[in-house]
């Protein structure tokens, strides 16, 4: 039987399910095909469970401060399995929530593995056939492996494995100091695991501004996390219980680390290999699907969004791209492409990091005449009152017109605070607009106001 739809979505992650709901809102008959649980990597094995673990690890880190107050806490009975179970509960609740939202919007969720038969036909598990005017590919990505350090899921872990641990190792070496690597380093360290991070580039979170990364490294080092930058893991020797890793830095100095487990988080690979793309004439570029202004592929009617296209691998990017693609299919006139300068990036370890736009280094490379202004968290009363004085706000702005070019935060609640700055950027506001806006006292957002006053040359609390 051949069933007909306006839109078939492959993959029910933040790209796929948001795209399907937006399609239903615009009156299109949509179906979603998902081989696993609704919510994709993000809800099931990414953003959500990792943030739950981070939340519990932050609670755990409060114990010494509570003890100082005379609170008696016996952590002897601490059971990491309970932390894990809470993270699974959060993931399951939200996955069921997606199921509910799809039903509420009249979208059929079909379980199975989908492949393209041609530009308008999708095969489910090789037999059931659906046709549609449009197809949205949102099949996401999977963890990248490094030769010689292949996942065995017991000692050599992927991020999927690390999120499913019910027992903590005593020591771990994390290969990759990007956002996912530092979030896991934060979690493990908070629960008392001896953590090493190995990063090939010059600093942790290599995509972030140098000063912001330096603050994070200072904080991590203080907490006893061993950071090996400009270094790469070269060899691995496994025994039943230990992993011996040789790491080599740029000066060719070698060091051997002996740990219980290794976590490899060196990026992700788009899920495009087994989709039958060749049946609709789509060729990938380094595994990614090339797309046009509205995420349309070279095959008429077929669109692709999220981790399968070459844009930042972030849940909010996937959702926004899906919205643009579907509104285009529906005949609306949506904005083209996501402006990369308007995409917030957020890292949820402590201290948190949030940013958008140009880093200082990128501003230098761009040749745009620019200036920078910084304001330290410790300058606002709230940061001292709540015991989070570490951190700063850094603004990169156009020297002539004072246009905001980039904003970078490191410190408590940075991932929430960033949005005021992003709204200002999107609305083409100037630093003086934020500098002169009354901010509630005491709040961490006052650091944002003060950073803009610093741009204007009159920060008060430094
Ligand atoms: P996915 O979420 O990967 O969903 C794709 C779906 O397609 C999956 O459910 C898969 O089962 C299904 N699928 C694949 N192939 C087929 C097929 N042939 N047939 C049927 N179904 C198929 N991003 C953030 O923005 N913030 C964060 O804090 C954050 N934290 C992260 C933490 C970790 C540990 C990881 C691994 C990732 C994190 N990410 C985060 C990244 C985020 O999860 C991804 O960018 C996002 O999930 C991509 O969405 P997507 O819709 O493109 O794909």
């Amino acid at each position: 039987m051949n069933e007909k739809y306006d839109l078939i979505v492959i993959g029910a992650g933040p790209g796929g399910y948001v795209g399907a709901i937006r399609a239903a809102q615009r009156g299109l008959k949509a179906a979603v095909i998902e081989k696993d649980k609704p919510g994709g990597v993000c809800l099931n094995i990414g953003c959500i469970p990792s943030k739950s673990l981070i939340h519990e690890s932050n609670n755990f880190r409060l114990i010494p401060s509570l003890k100082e107050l005379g609170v008696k806490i016996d952590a002897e009975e601490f059971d990491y399995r309970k932390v894990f179970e809470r993270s699974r509960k959060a993931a399951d609740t939200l996955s069921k929530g997606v199921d509910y939202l799809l039903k509420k919007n009249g979208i059929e969720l079909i379980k199975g593995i989908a492949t393209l038969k041609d530009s308008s036909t999708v095969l489910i598990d090789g037999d059931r056939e659906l046709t549609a005017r449009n197809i949205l590919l949102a099949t996401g990505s999977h963890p990248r492996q490094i030769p010689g350090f292949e996942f065995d899921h017991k000692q050599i872990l992927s991020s999927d494995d690390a999120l499913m641990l019910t027992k903590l190792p005593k020591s771990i070496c994390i290969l990759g100091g990007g956002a996912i690597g530092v979030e896991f380093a934060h979690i493990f360290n908070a629960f008392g695991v001896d953590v090493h991070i190995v990063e090939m580039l010059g600093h942790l979170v290599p995509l972030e501004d140098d000063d912001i990364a330096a603050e994070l490294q200072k904080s991590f080092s203080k907490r006893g996390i061993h950071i090996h930058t400009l270094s790469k893991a070269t060899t691995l020797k496994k025994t039943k219980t230990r992993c011996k890793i040789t790491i080599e830095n740029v000066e060719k100095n070698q060091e051997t680390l002996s740990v219980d487990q290794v976590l490899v988080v060196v990026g992700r690979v788009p899920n495009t290999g087994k989709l039958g793309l060749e049946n609709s004439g789509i060729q990938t570029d380094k595994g990614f699907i090339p797309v046009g202004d509205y995420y349309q592929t070279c095959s008429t009617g077929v669109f692709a969004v999220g981790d399968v296209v070459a844009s930042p691998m972030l849940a909010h990017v996937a959702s926004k791209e899906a919205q643009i693609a579907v509104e285009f299919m529906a005949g609306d006139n949506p904005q083209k492409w996501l402006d990369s300068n308007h995409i917030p990036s957020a890292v949820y370890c402590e201290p948190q990091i949030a940013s958008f736009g140009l880093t200082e280094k990128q501003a230098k490379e761009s040749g745009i005449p620019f200036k920078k202004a910084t304001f330290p968290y410790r300058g606002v009363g709230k940061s001292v009152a709540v015991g989070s004085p570490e951190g700063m706000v850094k603004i990169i702005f156009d020297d002539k017109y004072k246009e905001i070019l980039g904003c970078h935060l490191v410190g408590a609640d940075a991932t929430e605070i960033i949005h005021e700055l992003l709204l200002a950027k999107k609305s083409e506001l100037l630093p003086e607009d934020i500098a002169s806006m009354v901010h509630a006292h005491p709040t961490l957002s006052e650091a944002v106001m003060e950073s803009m006053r610093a741009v204007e040359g009159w920060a008060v609390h430094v």
Side-chain angles (χ1 to χ4, degrees):
M1 194 178 70
N2 190 330
E3 299 152 74
K4 287 200 171 77
Y5 294 87
D6 294 316
L7 172 65
I8 294 171
V9 180
I10 307 182
Y17 84 78
V18 170
I21 292 174
R22 190 70 193 115
Q25 287 172 340
R26 294 292 296 103
L28 305 182
K29 184 183 174 201
V32 180
I33 307 160
E34 170 56 60
K35 65 182 166 113
D36 207 327
K37 288 186 182 167
V41 166
C42 173
L43 268 53
N44 294 295
I45 202 80
C47 324
I48 294 301
S50 62
K51 266 78 251 180
S52 169
L53 297 181
I54 288 173
H55 175 70
E56 301 307 339
S57 69
N58 290 344
N59 288 340
F60 202 75
R61 288 184 77 213
L62 291 177
I63 292 177
S65 143
L66 291 172
K67 281 186 173 169
E68 271 179 33
L69 301 180
V71 178
K72 289 198 171 53
I73 297 175
D74 180 4
E76 279 296 297
E77 298 292 311
F78 168 66
D79 183 359
Y80 181 76
R81 177 180 281 277
K82 300 259 182 343
V83 174
F84 161 77
E85 283 167 359
R86 280 195 182 171
S87 74
R88 294 324 306 162
K89 197 168 167 207
D92 289 346
T93 304
L94 289 170
S95 175
K96 282 184 194 136
V98 172
D99 208 3
Y100 163 79
L101 288 174
L102 291 174
K103 274 198 193 96
K104 187 181 148 204
N105 283 281
I107 298 156
E108 194 181 348
L109 175 63
I110 302 164
K111 178 120 188 168
I113 298 177
T115 47
L116 286 181
K117 188 178 171 197
D118 57 45
S119 302
S120 57
T121 316
V122 173
L123 281 178
I124 305 171
D125 295 331
D127 49 22
R128 187 172 164 192
E129 217 172 273
L130 309 184
T131 56
R133 206 158 44 82
N134 292 117
I135 295 170
L136 181 65
L137 307 172
T139 48
S141 61
H142 61 273
R144 183 182 296 283
Q145 310 223 35
I146 320 181
F149 295 81
E150 286 82 6
F151 305 133
D152 63 15
H153 310 293
K154 288 194 175 80
Q155 288 172 291
I156 313 301
L157 311 178
S158 67
S159 62
D160 296 2
D161 303 320
L163 288 171
M164 300 309 278
L165 287 177
T166 53
K167 198 169 164 265
L168 290 169
K170 286 204 167 55
S171 56
I172 193 157
C173 177
I174 300 176
L175 304 184
I180 297 177
V182 298
E183 288 186 359
F184 276 113
H186 167 75
I187 296 166
F188 286 125
N189 168 268
F191 288 120
V193 178
D194 189 30
V195 178
H196 290 262
I197 315 182
V198 182
E199 168 55 52
M200 286 226 300
L201 298 176
H203 60 66
L204 295 181
V205 284
L207 300 179
E208 300 294 340
D209 186 271
D210 293 358
D211 290 338
I212 299 296
E215 280 282 318
L216 176 74
Q217 286 189 198
K218 201 166 66 184
S219 172
F220 267 23
S221 296
K222 245 199 255 169
R223 286 166 57 181
I225 297 174
H226 314 283
I227 301 167
H228 310 267
T229 48
L230 292 172
S231 300
K232 63 177 181 184
T234 52
T235 55
L236 167 72
K237 278 191 192 138
K238 282 193 283 184
T239 66
K240 261 192 177 161
T241 54
R242 303 294 286 170
C243 302
K244 283 197 175 158
I245 304 161
T246 308
I247 58 169
E248 188 178 282
N249 67 15
V250 271
E251 273 114 35
K252 303 272 175 220
N253 295 322
Q254 292 195 341
E255 190 181 342
T256 302
L257 308 174
S258 175
V259 289
D260 291 345
Q261 286 176 320
V262 180
L263 168 59
V264 182
V265 275
V266 291
R268 297 180 63 82
V269 181
N271 293 329
T272 49
K274 296 178 190 156
L275 259 179
L277 293 176
E278 61 287 356
N279 299 333
S280 64
I282 299 172
Q283 282 179 350
T284 56
D285 180 7
K286 297 188 185 115
F288 293 102
I289 301 175
V291 285
D293 283 349
Y294 300 102
Y295 301 94
Q296 70 276 38
T297 67
C298 63
S299 177
T300 306
V302 182
F303 293 70
V305 295
D307 284 6
V308 292
V309 306
S311 53
M313 287 181 157
L314 293 168
H316 43 284
V317 171
S319 299
K320 185 69 192 174
E321 290 174 346
Q323 181 205 326
I324 295 171
V326 168
E327 287 176 1
F328 180 72
M329 291 173 208
D332 299 346
N333 189 18
Q335 70 172 78
K336 287 185 186 173
W337 280 103
L338 258 178
D339 181 344
S340 62
N341 286 318
H342 290 183
I343 299 175
S345 107
V347 187
Y348 299 80
C349 55
E350 288 290 328
Q352 294 187 356
I353 293 176
S355 65
F356 62 83
L358 300 185
T359 61
E360 185 173 346
K361 197 165 157 215
Q362 287 167 337
K364 273 185 197 147
E365 286 163 2
S366 75
I368 301 171
F370 77 95
K371 278 199 176 140
K372 62 178 173 180
T374 58
F375 187 83
Y377 259 49
R378 63 174 187 284
V380 292
K382 174 87 182 273
S383 77
V384 179
V386 301
S388 299
E390 64 180 354
M392 68 156 137
V393 183
K394 177 171 175 178
I395 312 291
I396 307 290
F397 60 99
D398 174 281
D399 191 15
K400 197 165 172 199
Y401 304 106
K402 292 206 178 146
E403 182 197 340
I404 298 167
L405 300 175
C407 294
H408 309 273
L409 280 81
V410 57
D413 292 345
T415 57
E416 300 289 343
I417 296 170
I418 186 85
H419 295 97
E420 174 184 5
L421 288 160
L422 190 54
L423 182 61
K425 167 82 180 159
K426 193 165 180 294
S427 313
E428 298 179 0
L429 298 181
L430 288 173
E432 65 188 31
D433 295 308
I434 294 183
S436 61
M437 188 180 101
V438 181
H439 285 65
H441 174 76
T443 56
L444 295 175
S445 297
E446 286 176 288
V448 167
M449 173 180 70
E450 285 279 33
S451 69
M452 289 302 183
R453 287 179 177 170
V455 171
E456 294 293 311
W458 61 281
V460 174
H461 294 90
V462 270

